Amino acid sequence: MTDSSASLPDIQSEEDVRRVVDSFYGRVQNDELLGPIFEAVVQGRWPQHLATMYDFWSGLLLGTGRYRGRPFPKHLALPIDDRHFHRWLTLFVENVEAQYQGPVADEAIYRAGTIAAVFEHRISQTRNPFHIL
C-alpha cells in the first residue's frame, strides 16, 4: 500500500489558505451538528464570513496581520459545548490532511487545536465559574 499523502503540497500561499477555508466551511455547512449553529449566526452571509476567515488564517499561517478582530466574544453567546468544539476540530484536521502536508499544514492543525481547547475551556469556565475539575 502506498502513501498518497507523500505527494501533497504544504500550505504556502493566499490561494492555499482560501482553499483550506472554503473546503472546511463547506464541510461545516453540511455538518448536522455544526451547520445549524453557523447558519444561525452567518444567516446566508457566507462571503463576508469567509473573507474574515481568510484574513484570520492568513494571519496565523502566513503572517499577513490582516485580521484585527476578537474572535472569542463572538463565540461566547453561542449554544455550543465540547461536542461542537470536538466536531469542529475533527472536520478541520480531516480537511487539512486531505489537501496538504508539511510544516505549515501542521501549524494550521496545531493552531486549530489550541483555539478549540482555549475557547472550549473559557466558555466552560464562564458558564460554570465554580465548576471544579
Side-chain angles (χ1 to χ4, degrees), residues 7-132:
S7 62
L8 293 175
D10 199 2
I11 299 168
Q12 300 175 353
S13 67
E14 291 288 335
E15 181 180 322
D16 294 334
V17 169
R18 289 178 69 95
R19 183 176 178 206
V20 166
V21 169
D22 288 344
S23 56
F24 171 66
Y25 282 102
R27 290 177 184 225
V28 165
Q29 289 177 43
N30 293 314
D31 188 77
E32 290 181 14
L33 180 65
L34 298 179
I37 301 289
F38 274 85
E39 189 54 46
V41 174
V42 175
Q43 298 180 345
R45 295 182 313 270
W46 283 99
Q48 296 92 324
H49 180 68
L50 294 174
T52 300
M53 294 298 94
Y54 301 149
D55 289 348
F56 179 80
W57 285 104
S58 178
L60 289 180
L61 302 177
L62 303 177
T64 59
R66 290 193 313 257
Y67 182 77
R68 295 283 184 237
R70 294 180 52 225
F72 179 73
K74 296 170 185 159
H75 293 80
L76 187 56
L78 299 177
I80 54 178
D81 57 33
D82 61 329
R83 297 171 302 132
H84 298 91
F85 286 106
H86 294 158
R87 184 67 184 147
W88 180 90
L89 184 57
T90 297
L91 291 179
F92 190 89
V93 171
E94 289 173 354
N95 181 58
V96 171
E97 288 181 342
Q99 302 177 80
Y100 295 99
Q101 178 184 15
V104 182
D106 292 344
E107 181 70 12
I109 290 169
Y110 172 78
R111 294 287 188 116
T114 301
I115 290 164
V118 168
F119 279 27
E120 179 184 345
H121 175 76
R122 288 184 64 192
I123 285 173
S124 174
Q125 291 302 305
T126 301
R127 293 179 184 164
N128 306 301
F130 300 108
H131 177 74
I132 298 174

